[in-house]
Amino acid sequence: MIATINNFQVDLSKPIDISIPLSNTDANPIAWYIEKPVIDPVRFGEWVGKVSEGMSSTNFNNILFNPHGHGTHTECLGHITREFYSINQLLKQFFFIAELVSIELEDQDRDFVVTKEALVSALEGKTPEAIVIRTLPNAEDKLSRKYSHTNPPFLDEDAALFLRESGIQHLLIDLPSVDKEKDEGKLLAHKAFWNVTHVNNLNSDARLDATITEMIYVSEDIPDGTYLLNLQIASFENDASPSKPVLYAIVNTEI
Ligand SMILES: N[C@@H](CC(=O)c1ccccc1NC=O)C(=O)O
């Protein structure tokens, strides 16, 4: 199915899913010191909500998971503010023009960092609505990595500031956080991107409509370039929701 949008076309039958599947297996990625997700049938005494157990007509599972620690999720500035802000109230549009960039990390004294310079060079002056950052190397074990206590790569404060100043509203990255794992709560990149200067009494120029999506995975065979992004969440009233970002290649810009 070909859709024409403004002056370009996309093939909706060729989605590029950049979310990580969430499962209750040891393959599930984990960050922030938690255990793997739990997906188990409801039980009422002897009764088990599982067709193969013979008592139930349906499979009927409870799921216990954490959006920040168990996979692809999209968060709003409510992740870092005293006051409650919900991603489901702040993200109301779901299609954006996105630039996919591959970024070599800079070794800063054993911190591996996405720098402003690397982003400036990758964006070549483009100012898309969304940026999708694939960090290099791009090993497939990003689908199942155990990040706790590993000091994963993160964004420089300057890099996040540059994205904000470029007017980029949605930041997607294949890391568990845009900030350093253990930073004493400084959260410099989160604050720079959302323009949050006061977490206790939110400043009026904070970017309520900007989102950060973490723990995506963009496979090796997807080339850098401009895509249509469908950024979709589940309707959780929470600072963050598991999400399913999907890219569509732009097939024709001649129209
Ligand atoms: N770096 C923070 C912790 C942190 O960033 C964090 C903790 C739990 C769940 C998510 C987190 N950050 C996600 O972007 C700190 O050291 O206080």
Side-chain angles (χ1 to χ4, degrees), residues 135-255:
T135 57
L136 301 176
N138 189 42
E140 219 176 304
D141 79 327
K142 281 177 185 166
L143 290 165
S144 60
R145 211 169 272 178
K146 308 299 178 274
Y147 285 101
S148 303
H149 305 292
T150 64
N151 190 30
F154 56 93
L155 250 75
D156 247 355
E157 183 181 19
D158 269 2
L161 187 61
F162 165 69
L163 296 179
R164 183 182 97 213
E165 286 173 344
S166 303
I168 292 174
Q169 263 183 297
H170 304 285
L171 162 55
L172 296 84
I173 194 159
D174 58 3
L175 299 170
S177 179
V178 294
D179 273 304
K180 187 174 165 73
E181 181 182 19
K182 297 177 188 181
D183 67 350
E184 298 152 333
K186 288 196 188 86
L187 299 165
L188 297 173
H190 280 93
K191 288 179 182 172
F193 183 70
W194 281 322
N195 198 32
V196 169
T197 50
H198 294 80
V199 293
N200 290 324
N201 184 13
L202 189 63
N203 45 299
S204 60
D205 53 353
R207 298 210 301 164
L208 288 161
D209 51 0
T211 71
I212 297 177
T213 300
E214 292 159 336
M215 284 170 90
I216 61 166
Y217 178 68
V218 187
S219 127
E220 215 49 38
D221 46 324
I222 311 302
D224 283 359
T226 307
Y227 291 83
L228 180 68
L229 164 68
N230 178 210
L231 178 55
Q232 199 54 263
I233 60 167
S235 299
F236 281 96
E237 299 293 2
N238 191 47
D239 64 277
S241 166
S243 60
K244 189 176 183 79
V246 175
L247 300 176
Y248 294 91
I250 288 171
V251 290
N252 182 359
T253 52
E254 305 293 290
I255 47 173

Side-chain angles (χ1 to χ4, degrees), residues 105-115 150-154 156 180-182:
L105 301 164
E106 188 175 291
D107 182 348
Q108 296 179 355
D109 216 7
R110 306 313 287 162
D111 280 345
F112 291 89
V113 176
V114 176
T115 64
T150 64
N151 190 30
F154 56 93
D156 247 355
K180 187 174 165 73
E181 181 182 19
K182 297 177 188 181

Side-chain angles (χ1 to χ4, degrees), residues 78-104:
H79 186 41
I80 62 168
T81 58
R82 186 184 189 97
E83 217 180 320
F84 175 70
Y85 291 96
S86 169
I87 186 66
N88 195 48
Q89 297 305 316
L90 294 179
L91 181 65
K92 293 291 188 181
Q93 187 191 318
F94 308 103
F95 282 97
F96 306 98
I97 301 296
E99 195 70 20
L100 168 61
V101 297
S102 296
I103 297 289
E104 297 276 1

